Amino acid sequence: MKNVRLCTVLFAVLVAVLGLALFPAAAQKTPVLKIGINAEITGDIPKVGEATKYAAQMYVEDVNKAGGIEVGGKKYRLELAIEDNEAKAESAAKAATKLITVDEVIAIVGPQASKQAVPAGEVCNNYKTPMVSAWSTNPNTTKDRPYVFRACFLDDFQGPALSIFASQEYRFKKAAVLYDVASDYPKGLAEFFKKDWEKRNGPGSVVAYESFTTKDTDFSSQLTKIINSGAEFLFTPQYYNEVPLIVQQAKQLGWKKPILGSDSWASDELVKLCGKDCFGHFFVSHYASAGAKGATKEFIDRYKAKYGSIPDDVAALTWDAIGLIGAAIRNAGKLTGDVKKDREAVRNALAQTKDYPGITGTISFPPGSGDPIKCANIVKINDKGEFEFYKSVCP
Amino acid sequence: MTVFLQNLVNALQWGSFYALIAIGYSMVYSILMLFNFAHGDVFMTGAYIGCGIAMLLLGLGAAGLLVLPGWLVLGLTILLAMIVTAGLGMFIERVGYRPLREAPRASAAITGLMIGIILETGNLILLGAQRVKFPALIQPVTFELGGVFLTNQKIMIVVVALGLALALHQFIRRTRWGMAMRAMAFDYAVVPLMGVPINRIAALTFALGSGLAAAAGILFGMAYPVLDPYMGIVFGWKSFVAAILGGRGSILGATLAGFLLGFIEIFVAMVFPSTLRDFIAYSIILLILVFRPYGLFGEPYSVRLRL
């Protein structure tokens, strides 16, 4: 008896919930498109999840305020379905599955960190649902997955970007490199840079290619070599805890030329540890808040007014990731209402993205790849120790 | 030529740290016949203690309570950090080594490893994983001398390191305490029968070694102002190499071997690709040891090796 009563109650509740859920939707004339957010809202990197959510919500509000997104002469409202992946690989795959099968989203933004983005990308690709990670730089996230894209550039692009910058800005011909041979990221970047620089300036134009191993603190011998090699600048793709030592020792050995770095420099800790010695040097970044112009500045100002903090690179890249999806929906031609077919249409439009004006750079996807071709931002550490946008460099 | 001279300056600075740490290793090794593998981490702790004292003194200065010139702050920092770290060394000896003095040597050796790990992770718990910046107590002034770049810091580091090594050498040669230490190194079993308080001598040995390691830590912080909890490990190993290379119980031997290690590392990187630096440098040292197994200044000893 008890069970029957419980069932009745549950049924009533279900009807009520369904009714509530259905009625407003039915009352509104504009149909709804759902975009999934698979973000690191709890776990090790909650700031990343927060920035993702904030940027995506701001974008959706914008679109809906303007009456929705127009596809094939019909207007659609956007709605977010937000899932927390707890910054765990398993949860990310689960979250993606739920967004695809339960929420029936048309596309997914995130996960952001590669640890989560790689497994979630697998799920999305299997379910043929377009996914755009804003922040993941691991090649495997998009590799052989036609449905997975990203909004940021990859590590291997940073080398050429700096090589172009040094050639164009200073007309330099001779480069020196100092990197950690025992760590993947610096080693890879050093090699990419050397390859591109020698392609541009001929063999032997990297006049000093010096290395050290992780945990080394004294670079005096390498730097003495570099200083006497006649190099016009130094490229050092190291982390923020090593850069201060390198920069200070170089200065004390009489080096007065520019030092260029990679996006691993981009940490508030760098200026804290390095102080004035690092001022005036450059590095590559996805995005810089200080000195931003145009649409980027507008985004920063609005985000700041809305949430009370300056958007970080995750927020800016998420804005571009969801923007890419928005543009793809717009360009999908016509939506059928069958979510599987519509996902296919959005993915095809996404793959054909060309010169999308993102706030982190103009984005295009080359044929057969989810890794964008975009411009890199060169950031200068200014006299106040801020990371200031200096110049955009395009391949 | 300028490159050579420049690297000579580089090597002098780099060798200073090895020398100061190697002395501590060498003393403990010769007097107590044990490898204090925690010594590299004592160096690290000394650097952090120095950093804390320096920030405290600078903070007092900023608050207007105790305004001191930079060089005096540095001097006080070195002195106070040496005293505090010497206390730490004595504490390590008391809790970690004294109870194990009659235990197999392997037990005492791993005690050092464990104390090292405790110091590293303790620091990690206390201060977190982010790097700590060592405050610049004296502004670095770079000057050029015939194409060779020097800084006031570099000169200070080498002078202080050599001064401390020499002072310790004199202490061991000329004082009664030093004599007791030498006696203990000579024969550990007979010395107590002569009325020498071996517990006190052992504590003193640890105190002196740790004090020097603290001085090395602060000088290191001046030259490489980014501190991290694991910075002592590799440094410890390499200084240990220098201690053995110098010869058992020889303060001057350890000092010279420390500098030699610095020279070899720097000059190998000058001549060969820097990727091969440690590979070649330590092959050379291995070769030296093959021909001089007792180290550069060590004498063959027949004292019962209690290893």
Side-chain angles (χ1 to χ4, degrees), chain A residues 178-179 181 209-222 224-225 227-228 240-242 244-245 248-249 251-256 269 272-275, chain B residues 2-3 6-7 10 13-14 130-133 140 142 149-151 153-154 220 223-226 228 230 235 238 265-267 269-275 277-278:
Chain A
L178 178 64
Y179 68 100
V181 73
Y209 193 63
E210 294 297 314
S211 65
F212 58 94
T213 45
T214 316
K215 294 250 160 249
D216 277 2
T217 48
D218 185 87
F219 313 104
S220 56
S221 187
Q222 290 95 324
T224 303
K225 245 188 195 176
I227 289 165
N228 287 289
Y240 63 86
N241 52 332
E242 290 145 342
L245 296 177
Q248 283 169 356
Q249 286 175 41
K251 194 180 161 198
Q252 291 178 359
L253 287 166
W255 175 269
K256 292 186 185 75
E269 292 281 302
K272 243 188 257 166
L273 293 171
C274 191
Chain B
T2 40
V3 176
Q6 181 70 64
N7 274 319
N10 298 343
Q13 170 178 325
W14 191 230
Q130 80 270 33
R131 305 298 197 273
V132 173
K133 181 186 162 65
T142 311
F149 286 87
L150 289 163
T151 64
Q153 277 182 2
K154 280 184 181 157
F220 185 87
Y224 312 100
V226 181
D228 94 276
Y230 295 104
F235 237 90
K238 291 184 173 174
E265 278 193 21
I266 296 280
F267 280 97
M270 179 183 109
V271 179
F272 299 99
S274 38
T275 315
R277 185 188 75 187
D278 283 5

Side-chain angles (χ1 to χ4, degrees), chain A residues 123-180:
Chain A
V123 172
C124 291
N125 198 52
N126 290 345
Y127 278 107
K128 303 196 168 174
T129 305
M131 164 182 145
V132 184
S133 174
W135 201 51
S136 161
T137 51
N138 188 317
N140 290 329
T141 304
T142 58
K143 201 177 170 207
D144 298 326
R145 290 172 179 169
Y147 289 85
V148 184
F149 301 83
R150 72 177 106 222
C152 53
F153 53 73
L154 288 181
D155 292 348
D156 57 6
F157 173 62
Q158 294 189 39
L162 278 168
S163 165
I164 295 166
F165 173 69
S167 304
Q168 288 180 348
E169 182 80 13
Y170 291 107
R171 313 232 163 270
F172 284 155
K173 294 278 173 227
K174 288 189 224 159
V177 180
L178 178 64
Y179 68 100
D180 178 355

